[in-house]
Amino acid sequence: MKRIYLFCSAGMSTSMLASSMQKAADQHKLPLEVQAFPDGKIGQIMEELHPDVILLGPQVKFRYKEINQRFGDQVPVAVIDAGDYGMMNGEKVLKFAIKLLKAKETEG
């Protein structure tokens, strides 16, 4: 099972988006786990749960460079599109995450 983890500052709206993404994954019978966490726990989550993709909420996009430098060699790191985030478009964000996964798999 692949793990797609979302990170943001507080976690409320990102949890709603993660839930929407999980629902879409389940409907398509995809072996994915989608969860949301506060961005302050990225190091701990990487160490303990080993996500396959890190998606950052638009409100923490300023941390992209730092997080990508730290973990980008291990997993894809990207910022969620603000429009998709605002619309809580779980299906579209899920497709984005899957593209990141596939790109990483063909790369290495």
Side-chain angles (χ1 to χ4, degrees), residues 18-70:
S19 178
S20 175
M21 291 170 68
Q22 185 66 63
K23 186 176 177 184
D26 293 346
Q27 286 173 342
H28 295 292
K29 296 181 176 25
L30 298 171
L32 300 172
E33 174 189 322
V34 185
Q35 289 192 57
F37 301 94
D39 68 312
K41 292 192 171 194
I42 288 180
Q44 176 188 348
I45 298 298
M46 281 297 294
E47 203 174 290
E48 294 174 7
L49 301 176
H50 313 289
D52 297 289
V53 176
I54 292 176
L55 295 179
L56 303 175
Q59 63 277 61
V60 294
K61 72 179 179 184
F62 66 92
R63 294 199 59 202
Y64 170 79
K65 187 175 180 182
E66 163 210 344
I67 292 166
N68 192 47
Q69 284 176 339
R70 192 167 165 201

Side-chain angles (χ1 to χ4, degrees), residues 3 6 42-43 53 66 71-72 77 84-86:
R3 295 181 173 103
L6 286 59
I42 288 180
V53 176
E66 163 210 344
F71 302 113
V77 177
D84 294 337
Y85 188 90

Side-chain angles (χ1 to χ4, degrees), residues 58-108:
Q59 63 277 61
V60 294
K61 72 179 179 184
F62 66 92
R63 294 199 59 202
Y64 170 79
K65 187 175 180 182
E66 163 210 344
I67 292 166
N68 192 47
Q69 284 176 339
R70 192 167 165 201
F71 302 113
D73 60 332
Q74 301 167 50
V75 299
V77 177
V79 177
I80 300 167
D81 178 81
D84 294 337
Y85 188 90
M87 297 296 290
M88 290 287 134
N89 191 335
E91 183 89 30
K92 196 165 179 190
V93 178
L94 182 67
K95 285 179 183 173
F96 174 62
I98 290 169
K99 282 182 186 174
L100 293 171
L101 267 172
K102 288 185 176 178
K104 182 72 173 177
E105 287 171 0
T106 56
E107 172 188 295

